[in-house]
Amino acid sequence: MLSKLGRLSLVRLRGGARFAVASVIAALLSFWTIAYFARHQPLVVQLCISGVIIALSIVRSDERQAGAAGGAPLPTWVSWVARFVLIPLVALLGSAIGRVVHAHAALGFALIAVPLVAAIWVRRFGPVWARLGSLWSFPFVASLVTPAAALAAGAGVWWGALAAVIAVAWGSVLGWLAGSAAAAGRLGEAEWRPRDASQGSPAAATPPTATGERKLAASSRMAVHLALSFAAAILLGWWLLPDHLGWFVLTAFVVNSGNRGRGDVVYKGIQRLVGAAAGTVVATLLGTAFAPGDSSALVALFVILGLGAVLRTISYAWWAAAMTGGLALLYDFLGQGGTDVLGQRLLAILLGGLIAIAASCFVAPVRSIDVVRRRTADLLGLGREALTGDRGAPEYARLAPQLHEATARIEQLAPPFHALRMVTLGRVGPARRTADLIDRAGALGAGLESFVTRHSRERGAQLGAELRAVREVLVALRRD
């Protein structure tokens, strides 16, 4: 099992390497370009960090779109126009809200939470709205990871829009180059594409409702979870540790992002919580080596963000560690760090993470087994079309990427069930059977994808028998 997980991690790392490198380059170019133009501005640190986060988010968004079977929801040129118009406009609003965060932290974070929750909720209206919501959320995510001291640095809000334009430009160019390289690579090799992003792709982040009992759309439930997490984190942080309120809010957001079902929430939530805490400890201890205002701290910050961007393809816990670690170094750069506040930061991270896990688990939860059932049923439907469809029809060729996407969506759900099967030695029946179903469905999907491009009557008969066997397992699982 451990060797299999190691091989899977290497495959993930290789599959996301192009975009990881592109995101680091886009972040560096954005940082130095913004630093050059705003070198005489007192808020240059805020502008650079905001630009870095936006550039990283743009490349990450392009990575998700490159892996979508149905293609991007918007033509490339429309997406680029939307980026250059929407993100700078939102950045203006984000700059204004940043001033509110400095003056009234709880109110400011509440204002930041509104558009982030709305970005999740609008996914129910389709992929175009999901794409637009993702775009307008980037500047507000940047505001979450910018300390209040940097937000108070003065200068006009128009600089925020300029920094956003620069970051969008570099992020779009590097994302397009990485996407083109990935498309060329897919001609000669099968490539795994990660699906765990802070914002989540429309397909992955909005799983279909698995049972007829729940009428609330999955995107609406996710929006409710995020809204409750923000509200509880802001109230508890304001009451308990007002000077560290940002740590409560950021951790609640990071832990709550892109989860798929209750089991996935707990599994990833614990990973991200541990990652966030570890990143904070390491960065805080590292920050003691730098004096306030020492530019070497910013270099270390970029190293941490770069490592997080590369290792993010293995686990989002690495990105959680990079986000909180980068924030800790930024506080040290601004003279607000040190080991004396480490305990309070860790407490804020722990409580913020537990709030996010509790909200997702106990308020309108999504059963992970239900999500597995629905996604497996979707794969079986595509499999029937692949085995019985007209190979001469124009739409038949489109089954290969659809099968690839359906298989990837099932494999996204595997880690928590594999971990539970390993920890319990397979003694928990439903978890063991669900993990086994995921493994068989993944192998079936890969075989069907190959069958669409390389037809064989004998292979078709084998896949038909396996499809019926997986259907029987699925029916049996419904009785659990």
Side-chain angles (χ1 to χ4, degrees):
M1 174 64 69
L2 294 177
S3 61
K4 181 179 179 181
L5 292 176
R7 288 195 301 270
L8 179 58
S9 296
L10 290 176
V11 171
R12 292 178 174 179
L13 185 60
R14 186 184 66 175
R18 296 184 183 92
F19 285 96
V21 172
S23 64
V24 173
I25 295 175
L28 288 172
L29 291 174
S30 299
F31 178 88
W32 293 115
T33 305
I34 295 170
Y36 174 78
F37 284 106
R39 59 189 182 278
H40 300 304
Q41 296 299 319
L43 79 168
V44 61
V45 173
Q46 175 209 0
L47 294 174
C48 289
I49 297 303
S50 298
V52 165
I53 297 300
I54 291 173
L56 291 172
S57 301
I58 288 287
V59 177
R60 180 65 173 169
S61 177
D62 285 342
E63 179 181 7
R64 291 193 299 268
Q65 293 305 318
L74 295 172
T76 302
W77 71 270
V78 175
S79 179
W80 279 45
V81 170
R83 290 175 179 182
F84 279 97
V85 173
L86 183 60
I87 293 180
L89 287 177
V90 174
L92 290 175
L93 179 60
S95 298
I97 293 178
R99 297 171 181 271
V100 180
V101 171
H102 174 68
H104 306 284
L107 176 59
F109 283 120
L111 292 176
I112 291 175
V114 172
L116 291 177
V117 172
I120 302 297
W121 181 76
V122 297
R123 294 177 184 174
R124 67 199 310 267
F125 300 115
V128 173
W129 276 101
R131 180 68 166 159
L132 294 175
S134 178
L135 292 177
W136 82 53
S137 68
F138 296 159
F140 294 107
V141 175
S143 296
L144 280 182
V145 297
T146 306
L151 294 171
V157 295
W158 292 103
W159 280 99
L162 176 61
V165 169
I166 293 171
V168 168
W170 284 122
S172 297
V173 170
L174 270 298
W176 175 78
L177 290 174
S180 300
R186 283 197 301 271
L187 296 177
E189 61 176 337
E191 187 171 19
W192 182 92
R193 294 199 176 276
R195 291 305 208 162
D196 184 30
S198 64
Q199 304 300 312
S201 67
T206 313
T209 303
T211 68
E213 299 174 359
R214 297 185 177 90
K215 303 300 182 182
L216 194 63
S219 58
S220 298
R221 289 198 295 274
M222 293 174 66
V224 169
H225 296 160
L226 186 58
L228 290 176
S229 299
F230 273 134
I234 291 171
L235 290 175
L236 182 61
W238 175 70
W239 172 69
L240 190 61
L241 294 170
D243 292 338
H244 299 274
L245 178 58
W247 293 92
F248 282 87
V249 179
L250 176 61
T251 307
F253 174 75
V254 168
V255 171
N256 222 323
S257 297
N259 290 311
R260 312 174 188 93
R262 185 163 48 192
D264 196 55
V265 168
V266 176
Y267 177 77
K268 290 183 178 177
I270 293 174
Q271 279 191 324
R272 296 172 183 184
L273 193 55
V274 172
T280 302
V281 171
V282 172
T284 300
L285 296 177
L286 180 62
T288 59
F290 307 114
D294 187 350
S295 59
S296 298
L298 297 180
V299 175
L301 185 153
F302 272 105
V303 171
I304 289 177
L305 288 179
L307 288 174
V310 172
L311 297 176
R312 183 181 192 168
T313 55
I314 298 177
S315 171
Y316 197 84
W318 291 103
W319 184 239
M323 290 271 282
T324 54
L327 181 58
L329 278 176
L330 194 54
Y331 271 111
D332 290 328
F333 176 81
L334 296 170
Q336 299 181 6
T339 56
D340 53 326
V341 297
L342 180 58
Q344 295 176 335
R345 288 179 180 175
L346 290 176
L347 178 60
I349 289 172
L350 174 63
L351 294 176
L354 292 178
I355 286 171
I357 293 174
S360 298
C361 286
F362 300 112
V363 180
V366 181
R367 294 181 65 206
S368 295
I369 290 180
D370 291 342
V371 181
V372 172
R373 291 169 179 166
R374 179 53 188 256
R375 294 189 180 185
T376 303
D378 292 340
L379 174 66
L380 294 180
L382 290 171
R384 285 192 297 271
E385 293 184 37
L387 294 174
T388 63
D390 180 8
R391 297 183 60 83
E395 60 271 13
Y396 188 85
R398 290 195 287 269
L399 285 175
Q402 291 173 356
L403 285 164
H404 180 82
E405 175 77 4
T407 304
R409 282 167 55 76
I410 292 174
E411 291 174 346
Q412 292 164 357
L413 307 172
F417 289 102
H418 284 168
L420 186 58
R421 182 177 61 183
M422 181 174 63
V423 170
T424 62
L425 302 178
R427 294 176 181 175
V428 179
R432 184 190 68 249
R433 288 189 288 272
T434 304
D436 293 343
L437 174 63
I438 291 173
D439 292 339
R440 294 190 68 172
L444 174 63
L448 289 168
E449 182 184 354
S450 175
F451 174 79
V452 170
T453 56
R454 293 187 295 273
H455 179 69
S456 167
R457 180 173 298 180
E458 180 180 355
R459 182 59 174 156
Q462 294 173 350
L463 290 171
E466 180 63 15
L467 187 146
R468 290 188 293 271
V470 171
R471 184 189 297 118
E472 291 175 1
V473 175
L474 178 62
V475 172
L477 190 63
R478 293 183 186 276
R479 303 191 187 105
D480 288 338

